[in-house]
Amino acid sequence: MLGLYVHVPFCSAICNYCNFNRGLFDAALKERYVDALIAEVREAGLKARATNQERGADTIYFGGGTPSLLEPDEVARIIGACDDAFDVADDREVTLEANPETVTESRLRAFRDAGINRISFGVQSFREDELRRLSRLHTADRARQALAEARSAAFDNASLDLMMWLPGQSVAQWLESVDAAIALEPEHLSLYLLEVYPNAPLKEDMARLRWSQAPDDDAAAMYLEAMERLETAGLMQYEISNVARPGRRSRHNLKYWIDGEWLGFGCGAHSTRAGVRWKNVASTEDYVERIGKGQPTAIDERRMAPDEALGDALFTGLRLVDGIDLDAMRRRYNVDVWARFGADLEPFVDEGCLLHEGHRLRLTRRGMLLAHEVMTVFV
Ligand code: SF4
């Protein structure tokens, strides 16, 4: 089944560390953008029908940016367009990424009525000093209230994002946020390591105010201890950065890790289907204009070479706690993965970072700290 991704590039303010495809909220542009999104979804459905491609989908994911800046009726119209263009399963997962300061109980109820059944809050930290340092607009209390409002609005599937290894953050301070998240009993949690990009305003703040990130050993301790505490609380790790209660893994995001297929709509959105990969133009204005003129929005469309597709499948598959099924890889790509890569992978097995058990290859938790080094074997 396909996953449908809808990109919403608008934010109320730009966070000092952000490297996503986003811009400041502009009400007029947003209205044109929603119309353009609907047109793109319709066109994709027509194309799939005309070429006899599978139109079954089971997830819709509104990512951003800040998708919760859309109005609920706009979200309903986009979901309606997905339903018209594709065969979206009744037991669909429909996620909305939301920033805590953009929601109220009535807005959340309206999103629920519009068809959203999973909400993912960008919390990042439960410490006020850290939220200010990241230039976030919400407080820790607002994040708590937002989740309570979501519960009142009948959301029984909620995820929280937290960021670790923040400037000036100690291991104990990080664990405060982990414990605060656990206390709220979300169904799902994503933990991201802060990456400070070269041109991020945060980098300048760090230099000016002498904030630094903790040593690597502390970053490792943050990760390992957080995973221990989360699993003790019933949130089981299933991917390098993600934990969930049973049955609450992100079905949409799993498509990226299990070599699945998805269509992305909106500016900068990526798609992968039948061995072909493409992305849309990044600029919001350019995207809207192209749709208005009936011009293609996709750039960089290309069929992946078999080795590239295999490398990607291994690279992403290894992110999962269950790892890679080597038999399935052989069936799909006609390649004996261990015969091809075993010599380069053996040192990681010897170091206790990688397990090669029967037909499965998977990272140990310690190996997840070095995942990037292991994965580069495949690309
Ligand atoms: S809200 Fe998210 S997408 Fe928007 S600027 Fe902040 S980090 Fe970036």
Side-chain angles (χ1 to χ4, degrees):
M1 289 260 204
L2 287 166
L4 306 177
Y5 173 81
V6 180
H7 190 68
V8 182
F10 304 107
C11 291
S12 308
I14 304 301
C15 304
N16 59 11
Y17 58 90
C18 179
N19 194 32
F20 297 127
N21 188 29
R22 76 300 179 256
L24 280 176
F25 182 78
D26 170 334
L29 179 58
K30 182 203 60 170
E31 277 182 30
R32 289 166 57 217
Y33 186 77
V34 169
D35 289 341
L37 273 175
I38 290 170
E40 191 192 8
V41 170
R42 285 202 181 121
E43 185 62 31
L46 289 174
K47 188 176 164 195
R49 210 182 290 262
T51 52
N52 280 328
Q53 281 191 308
E54 173 65 48
R55 291 187 306 116
D58 64 350
T59 65
I60 304 174
Y61 191 103
F62 289 83
T66 309
S68 51
L69 288 176
L70 293 184
E71 292 308 315
D73 69 295
E74 293 170 327
V75 168
R77 282 170 56 215
I78 295 166
I79 294 174
C82 291
D83 272 322
D84 291 344
F86 298 93
D87 294 327
V88 189
D90 289 344
D91 74 336
R92 63 191 63 187
E93 174 193 274
V94 188
T95 304
L96 183 82
E97 288 183 353
N99 280 0
E101 75 280 2
T102 62
V103 296
T104 58
E105 186 178 327
S106 65
R107 261 179 89 73
L108 285 162
R109 204 174 285 282
F111 283 129
R112 188 82 181 85
D113 292 343
I116 300 293
N117 58 22
R118 181 172 183 271
I119 192 101
S120 175
F121 286 115
V123 173
Q124 318 312 354
S125 167
F126 282 98
R127 285 180 57 98
E128 303 300 345
D129 55 344
E130 291 174 357
L131 288 168
R132 278 197 299 275
R133 213 166 273 187
L134 294 174
S135 66
R136 299 291 300 198
L137 297 179
H138 65 272
T139 61
D141 267 351
R142 174 86 282 275
R144 287 189 180 90
Q145 282 161 16
L147 184 61
E149 289 161 359
R151 296 303 192 203
S152 302
F155 279 99
D156 63 358
N157 197 0
S159 181
L160 308 179
D161 284 359
L162 288 182
M163 281 201 320
M164 71 181 113
W165 209 27
L166 304 179
Q169 185 183 52
S170 67
V171 179
Q173 288 167 341
W174 156 245
L175 292 172
E176 273 178 44
S177 284
V178 173
D179 289 342
I182 288 172
L184 295 176
E185 302 184 345
E187 282 70 34
H188 187 280
L189 206 66
S190 301
L191 312 178
Y192 298 108
L193 210 64
L194 173 69
E195 273 186 68
V196 186
Y197 293 95
N199 56 358
L202 177 61
K203 195 167 177 81
E204 284 168 33
D205 292 350
M206 287 172 67
R208 193 165 41 86
L209 298 162
R210 302 190 181 205
W211 295 333
S212 57
Q213 287 172 293
D216 286 0
D217 282 354
D218 283 5
M222 287 179 186
Y223 180 78
L224 296 173
E225 180 61 27
M227 286 301 172
E228 288 284 322
R229 290 188 188 198
L230 291 162
E231 292 204 342
T232 303
L235 286 150
M236 307 311 286
Q237 185 180 18
Y238 69 99
E239 194 266 350
I240 286 184
S241 304
N242 288 280
V243 300
R245 298 198 189 283
R248 295 303 198 181
R249 295 175 177 194
S250 164
R251 279 161 60 192
H252 183 84
N253 287 336
L254 275 167
K255 293 184 193 295
Y256 304 137
W257 303 314
I258 59 165
D259 204 14
E261 298 194 331
W262 62 92
L263 296 177
F265 303 105
C267 58
H270 292 242
S271 303
T272 296
R273 162 149 237 202
V276 179
R277 184 165 282 186
W278 67 94
K279 68 176 179 192
N280 276 348
V281 286
S283 149
T284 310
E285 283 281 3
D286 193 5
Y287 168 81
V288 171
E289 256 182 47
R290 284 186 188 220
I291 294 273
K293 290 180 184 162
Q295 294 172 347
T297 52
I299 52 173
D300 286 349
E301 181 168 324
R302 65 200 175 79
R303 178 164 291 283
M304 284 190 288
D307 276 0
E308 183 192 1
L310 171 69
D312 270 24
L314 296 170
F315 190 94
T316 49
L318 211 52
R319 295 187 61 93
L320 293 166
V321 167
D322 293 340
I324 300 162
D325 181 337
L326 299 177
D327 289 348
M329 287 292 155
R330 189 199 302 267
R331 284 195 297 277
R332 185 155 189 177
Y333 293 98
N334 200 23
V335 170
D336 181 334
V337 172
W338 191 254
R340 184 180 291 190
F341 298 104
D344 292 328
L345 293 172
E346 201 74 67
F348 294 109
V349 174
D350 294 342
E351 285 167 24
C353 294
L354 192 63
L355 293 171
H356 180 204
E357 302 165 321
H359 63 107
R360 290 210 90 85
L361 191 62
R362 63 184 182 88
L363 290 169
T364 61
R365 184 159 293 159
R366 207 165 70 76
M368 286 182 178
L369 294 165
L370 298 172
H372 203 74
E373 285 175 41
V374 182
M375 290 165 178
T376 49
V377 167
F378 301 129
V379 291

PDB file of all heavy atoms in Angstrom, residues 10-23 64-66 99 101 124 136, ligand 1:
ATOM      1  N   PHE A  10       4.619  26.039   6.092  1.00  0.00           N
ATOM      2  CA  PHE A  10       4.441  27.318   6.793  1.00  0.00           C
ATOM      3  C   PHE A  10       4.722  27.186   8.294  1.00  0.00           C
ATOM      4  O   PHE A  10       4.335  26.202   8.921  1.00  0.00           O
ATOM      5  CB  PHE A  10       3.005  27.827   6.597  1.00  0.00           C
ATOM      6  CG  PHE A  10       2.637  27.946   5.146  1.00  0.00           C
ATOM      7  CD1 PHE A  10       1.765  27.044   4.557  1.00  0.00           C
ATOM      8  CD2 PHE A  10       3.194  28.956   4.369  1.00  0.00           C
ATOM      9  CE1 PHE A  10       1.442  27.140   3.208  1.00  0.00           C
ATOM     10  CE2 PHE A  10       2.869  29.065   3.013  1.00  0.00           C
ATOM     11  CZ  PHE A  10       1.995  28.159   2.435  1.00  0.00           C
ATOM     12  N   CYS A  11       5.368  28.208   8.847  1.00  0.00           N
ATOM     13  CA  CYS A  11       5.643  28.238  10.298  1.00  0.00           C
ATOM     14  C   CYS A  11       5.381  29.651  10.816  1.00  0.00           C
ATOM     15  O   CYS A  11       5.548  30.631  10.086  1.00  0.00           O
ATOM     16  CB  CYS A  11       7.106  27.878  10.573  1.00  0.00           C
ATOM     17  SG  CYS A  11       7.460  26.149  10.205  1.00  0.00           S
ATOM     18  N   SER A  12       4.999  29.741  12.102  1.00  0.00           N
ATOM     19  CA  SER A  12       4.728  31.056  12.707  1.00  0.00           C
ATOM     20  C   SER A  12       6.021  31.840  12.918  1.00  0.00           C
ATOM     21  O   SER A  12       6.026  33.067  12.911  1.00  0.00           O
ATOM     22  CB  SER A  12       4.056  30.891  14.074  1.00  0.00           C
ATOM     23  OG  SER A  12       2.953  30.059  13.960  1.00  0.00           O
ATOM     24  N   ALA A  13       7.094  31.121  13.164  1.00  0.00           N
ATOM     25  CA  ALA A  13       8.416  31.734  13.317  1.00  0.00           C
ATOM     26  C   ALA A  13       9.422  30.670  12.906  1.00  0.00           C
ATOM     27  O   ALA A  13       9.080  29.485  12.889  1.00  0.00           O
ATOM     28  CB  ALA A  13       8.642  32.151  14.766  1.00  0.00           C
ATOM     29  N   ILE A  14      10.619  31.097  12.593  1.00  0.00           N
ATOM     30  CA  ILE A  14      11.607  30.112  12.145  1.00  0.00           C
ATOM     31  C   ILE A  14      12.549  29.794  13.308  1.00  0.00           C
ATOM     32  O   ILE A  14      13.225  30.687  13.838  1.00  0.00           O
ATOM     33  CB  ILE A  14      12.407  30.644  10.929  1.00  0.00           C
ATOM     34  CG1 ILE A  14      11.440  31.032   9.792  1.00  0.00           C
ATOM     35  CG2 ILE A  14      13.420  29.609  10.457  1.00  0.00           C
ATOM     36  CD1 ILE A  14      10.552  29.912   9.282  1.00  0.00           C
ATOM     37  N   CYS A  15      12.589  28.538  13.710  1.00  0.00           N
ATOM     38  CA  CYS A  15      13.434  28.122  14.830  1.00  0.00           C
ATOM     39  C   CYS A  15      14.912  28.231  14.426  1.00  0.00           C
ATOM     40  O   CYS A  15      15.262  28.002  13.268  1.00  0.00           O
ATOM     41  CB  CYS A  15      13.112  26.691  15.237  1.00  0.00           C
ATOM     42  SG  CYS A  15      11.379  26.470  15.637  1.00  0.00           S
ATOM     43  N   ASN A  16      15.740  28.538  15.420  1.00  0.00           N
ATOM     44  CA  ASN A  16      17.131  28.879  15.105  1.00  0.00           C
ATOM     45  C   ASN A  16      17.995  27.689  14.650  1.00  0.00           C
ATOM     46  O   ASN A  16      19.123  27.885  14.239  1.00  0.00           O
ATOM     47  CB  ASN A  16      17.780  29.599  16.297  1.00  0.00           C
ATOM     48  CG  ASN A  16      17.772  28.744  17.565  1.00  0.00           C
ATOM     49  OD1 ASN A  16      17.463  27.550  17.511  1.00  0.00           O
ATOM     50  ND2 ASN A  16      18.111  29.366  18.686  1.00  0.00           N
ATOM     51  N   TYR A  17      17.469  26.493  14.720  1.00  0.00           N
ATOM     52  CA  TYR A  17      18.263  25.319  14.325  1.00  0.00           C
ATOM     53  C   TYR A  17      17.715  24.648  13.068  1.00  0.00           C
ATOM     54  O   TYR A  17      18.256  23.660  12.586  1.00  0.00           O
ATOM     55  CB  TYR A  17      18.239  24.268  15.463  1.00  0.00           C
ATOM     56  CG  TYR A  17      16.843  23.828  15.821  1.00  0.00           C
ATOM     57  CD1 TYR A  17      16.252  22.745  15.190  1.00  0.00           C
ATOM     58  CD2 TYR A  17      16.086  24.542  16.761  1.00  0.00           C
ATOM     59  CE1 TYR A  17      14.952  22.369  15.487  1.00  0.00           C
ATOM     60  CE2 TYR A  17      14.789  24.172  17.051  1.00  0.00           C
ATOM     61  CZ  TYR A  17      14.240  23.094  16.420  1.00  0.00           C
ATOM     62  OH  TYR A  17      12.951  22.729  16.701  1.00  0.00           O
ATOM     63  N   CYS A  18      16.609  25.201  12.539  1.00  0.00           N
ATOM     64  CA  CYS A  18      15.820  24.448  11.553  1.00  0.00           C
ATOM     65  C   CYS A  18      16.458  24.423  10.174  1.00  0.00           C
ATOM     66  O   CYS A  18      16.892  25.440   9.653  1.00  0.00           O
ATOM     67  CB  CYS A  18      14.428  25.074  11.444  1.00  0.00           C
ATOM     68  SG  CYS A  18      13.425  24.219  10.221  1.00  0.00           S
ATOM     69  N   ASN A  19      16.456  23.228   9.602  1.00  0.00           N
ATOM     70  CA  ASN A  19      17.000  23.038   8.271  1.00  0.00           C
ATOM     71  C   ASN A  19      15.958  22.421   7.326  1.00  0.00           C
ATOM     72  O   ASN A  19      16.307  21.830   6.323  1.00  0.00           O
ATOM     73  CB  ASN A  19      18.223  22.103   8.377  1.00  0.00           C
ATOM     74  CG  ASN A  19      19.046  22.118   7.115  1.00  0.00           C
ATOM     75  OD1 ASN A  19      19.128  23.122   6.439  1.00  0.00           O
ATOM     76  ND2 ASN A  19      19.651  20.984   6.779  1.00  0.00           N
ATOM     77  N   PHE A  20      14.685  22.525   7.717  1.00  0.00           N
ATOM     78  CA  PHE A  20      13.631  21.926   6.878  1.00  0.00           C
ATOM     79  C   PHE A  20      13.221  22.890   5.763  1.00  0.00           C
ATOM     80  O   PHE A  20      13.586  24.066   5.777  1.00  0.00           O
ATOM     81  CB  PHE A  20      12.394  21.588   7.733  1.00  0.00           C
ATOM     82  CG  PHE A  20      12.655  20.570   8.794  1.00  0.00           C
ATOM     83  CD1 PHE A  20      12.327  20.825  10.107  1.00  0.00           C
ATOM     84  CD2 PHE A  20      13.229  19.344   8.472  1.00  0.00           C
ATOM     85  CE1 PHE A  20      12.567  19.884  11.103  1.00  0.00           C
ATOM     86  CE2 PHE A  20      13.465  18.403   9.453  1.00  0.00           C
ATOM     87  CZ  PHE A  20      13.132  18.672  10.770  1.00  0.00           C
ATOM     88  N   ASN A  21      12.394  22.398   4.862  1.00  0.00           N
ATOM     89  CA  ASN A  21      11.857  23.231   3.787  1.00  0.00           C
ATOM     90  C   ASN A  21      10.623  23.952   4.327  1.00  0.00           C
ATOM     91  O   ASN A  21       9.549  23.370   4.415  1.00  0.00           O
ATOM     92  CB  ASN A  21      11.496  22.337   2.592  1.00  0.00           C
ATOM     93  CG  ASN A  21      11.114  23.157   1.386  1.00  0.00           C
ATOM     94  OD1 ASN A  21      11.582  24.281   1.218  1.00  0.00           O
ATOM     95  ND2 ASN A  21      10.242  22.627   0.558  1.00  0.00           N
ATOM     96  N   ARG A  22      10.778  25.187   4.741  1.00  0.00           N
ATOM     97  CA  ARG A  22       9.674  25.932   5.384  1.00  0.00           C
ATOM     98  C   ARG A  22       9.884  27.427   5.196  1.00  0.00           C
ATOM     99  O   ARG A  22      10.944  27.887   4.806  1.00  0.00           O
ATOM    100  CB  ARG A  22       9.579  25.594   6.886  1.00  0.00           C
ATOM    101  CG  ARG A  22      10.632  26.246   7.776  1.00  0.00           C
ATOM    102  CD  ARG A  22      12.025  25.887   7.430  1.00  0.00           C
ATOM    103  NE  ARG A  22      13.105  26.448   8.166  1.00  0.00           N
ATOM    104  CZ  ARG A  22      13.899  27.436   7.739  1.00  0.00           C
ATOM    105  NH1 ARG A  22      13.632  28.085   6.641  1.00  0.00           N
ATOM    106  NH2 ARG A  22      14.936  27.815   8.435  1.00  0.00           N
ATOM    107  N   GLY A  23       8.828  28.194   5.472  1.00  0.00           N
ATOM    108  CA  GLY A  23       8.911  29.646   5.395  1.00  0.00           C
ATOM    109  C   GLY A  23       7.881  30.237   6.336  1.00  0.00           C
ATOM    110  O   GLY A  23       7.089  29.500   6.946  1.00  0.00           O
ATOM    111  N   GLY A  64       5.770  18.943   8.016  1.00  0.00           N
ATOM    112  CA  GLY A  64       6.125  20.323   7.678  1.00  0.00           C
ATOM    113  C   GLY A  64       7.537  20.687   8.073  1.00  0.00           C
ATOM    114  O   GLY A  64       8.366  19.813   8.260  1.00  0.00           O
ATOM    115  N   GLY A  65       7.714  22.046   8.253  1.00  0.00           N
ATOM    116  CA  GLY A  65       6.725  23.067   8.511  1.00  0.00           C
ATOM    117  C   GLY A  65       5.831  22.806   9.732  1.00  0.00           C
ATOM    118  O   GLY A  65       6.147  22.001  10.583  1.00  0.00           O
ATOM    119  N   THR A  66       4.731  23.491   9.740  1.00  0.00           N
ATOM    120  CA  THR A  66       3.767  23.356  10.834  1.00  0.00           C
ATOM    121  C   THR A  66       2.379  23.105  10.242  1.00  0.00           C
ATOM    122  O   THR A  66       1.607  24.055  10.030  1.00  0.00           O
ATOM    123  CB  THR A  66       3.754  24.620  11.717  1.00  0.00           C
ATOM    124  OG1 THR A  66       5.091  24.939  12.108  1.00  0.00           O
ATOM    125  CG2 THR A  66       2.910  24.418  12.975  1.00  0.00           C
ATOM    126  N   ASN A  99       2.375  21.912  16.287  1.00  0.00           N
ATOM    127  CA  ASN A  99       3.154  22.597  17.312  1.00  0.00           C
ATOM    128  C   ASN A  99       2.211  22.965  18.448  1.00  0.00           C
ATOM    129  O   ASN A  99       1.088  23.429  18.197  1.00  0.00           O
ATOM    130  CB  ASN A  99       3.821  23.844  16.730  1.00  0.00           C
ATOM    131  CG  ASN A  99       5.080  23.487  15.947  1.00  0.00           C
ATOM    132  OD1 ASN A  99       5.434  22.318  15.856  1.00  0.00           O
ATOM    133  ND2 ASN A  99       5.726  24.484  15.393  1.00  0.00           N
ATOM    134  N   GLU A 101       1.710  25.358  20.437  1.00  0.00           N
ATOM    135  CA  GLU A 101       1.103  26.692  20.569  1.00  0.00           C
ATOM    136  C   GLU A 101       0.036  26.961  19.513  1.00  0.00           C
ATOM    137  O   GLU A 101      -0.647  27.984  19.578  1.00  0.00           O
ATOM    138  CB  GLU A 101       2.193  27.786  20.511  1.00  0.00           C
ATOM    139  CG  GLU A 101       2.774  28.071  19.138  1.00  0.00           C
ATOM    140  CD  GLU A 101       3.822  27.078  18.669  1.00  0.00           C
ATOM    141  OE1 GLU A 101       4.101  26.108  19.390  1.00  0.00           O
ATOM    142  OE2 GLU A 101       4.357  27.280  17.556  1.00  0.00           O
ATOM    143  N   GLN A 124      10.040  18.840  21.774  1.00  0.00           N
ATOM    144  CA  GLN A 124      11.510  19.043  21.795  1.00  0.00           C
ATOM    145  C   GLN A 124      12.120  19.026  23.183  1.00  0.00           C
ATOM    146  O   GLN A 124      13.161  18.426  23.391  1.00  0.00           O
ATOM    147  CB  GLN A 124      11.940  20.333  21.063  1.00  0.00           C
ATOM    148  CG  GLN A 124      11.221  20.625  19.744  1.00  0.00           C
ATOM    149  CD  GLN A 124      11.126  19.463  18.777  1.00  0.00           C
ATOM    150  OE1 GLN A 124      11.702  18.410  19.014  1.00  0.00           O
ATOM    151  NE2 GLN A 124      10.369  19.606  17.704  1.00  0.00           N
ATOM    152  N   ARG A 136      11.931  28.152  20.496  1.00  0.00           N
ATOM    153  CA  ARG A 136      10.584  27.604  20.301  1.00  0.00           C
ATOM    154  C   ARG A 136       9.554  28.580  20.874  1.00  0.00           C
ATOM    155  O   ARG A 136       9.848  29.325  21.813  1.00  0.00           O
ATOM    156  CB  ARG A 136      10.447  26.231  20.995  1.00  0.00           C
ATOM    157  CG  ARG A 136      11.383  25.178  20.466  1.00  0.00           C
ATOM    158  CD  ARG A 136      11.053  24.753  19.073  1.00  0.00           C
ATOM    159  NE  ARG A 136       9.728  24.197  18.932  1.00  0.00           N
ATOM    160  CZ  ARG A 136       9.349  23.451  17.883  1.00  0.00           C
ATOM    161  NH1 ARG A 136      10.191  23.188  16.900  1.00  0.00           N
ATOM    162  NH2 ARG A 136       8.130  22.978  17.797  1.00  0.00           N
TER     163      ARG A 136
HETATM  164  S1  SF4 B   1       8.441  24.733  13.690  1.00  0.00           S
HETATM  165 FE1  SF4 B   1       9.592  22.991  12.835  1.00  0.00          FE
HETATM  166  S2  SF4 B   1       9.675  23.360  10.621  1.00  0.00           S
HETATM  167 FE2  SF4 B   1       9.031  25.291  11.588  1.00  0.00          FE
HETATM  168  S3  SF4 B   1      10.921  26.445  11.837  1.00  0.00           S
HETATM  169 FE3  SF4 B   1      10.586  25.327  13.767  1.00  0.00          FE
HETATM  170  S4  SF4 B   1      11.710  23.369  13.509  1.00  0.00           S
HETATM  171 FE4  SF4 B   1      11.486  24.304  11.474  1.00  0.00          FE
END
